[in-house]
Amino acid sequence: MDYYRVLGVAKSASSSEIKLAFRALALKLHPDIAKSDKTESLHAFQRVSTAYETLSNKTKKELYDY
């Protein structure tokens, strides 16, 4: 899974761009807010959360990019 694609940002995105993308997607996909299937929303939200957790942490991001 390409975490950059999940968040919809370029590989050269800054940490603030990554954070903004995550927040926008989190609001859209959160299972308590989304109007679509709750199970599908939960899985999508988990993918976005995992991508953000990896790309927002400098050490994890370096390992992921390697």
Side-chain angles (χ1 to χ4, degrees):
M1 174 177 357
D2 182 3
Y3 290 154
Y4 293 101
R5 183 175 283 193
V6 169
L7 292 178
V9 296
K11 195 168 186 172
S12 61
S14 68
S15 60
S16 61
E17 291 172 317
I18 291 170
K19 187 175 186 176
L20 284 172
F22 168 71
R23 286 185 175 188
L25 288 170
L27 284 173
K28 178 181 175 186
L29 298 173
H30 195 280
D32 293 340
I33 298 172
K35 294 180 175 138
S36 62
D37 179 32
K38 296 289 183 189
T39 305
E40 186 178 315
S41 295
L42 178 62
H43 291 300
F45 184 75
Q46 288 173 336
R47 281 193 303 274
V48 168
S49 296
T50 301
Y52 177 68
E53 181 182 329
T54 301
L55 297 179
S56 66
N57 181 301
K58 185 178 179 182
T59 305
K60 289 181 181 180
K61 184 176 187 287
E62 287 175 359
L63 289 172
Y64 177 76
D65 288 341
Y66 179 69

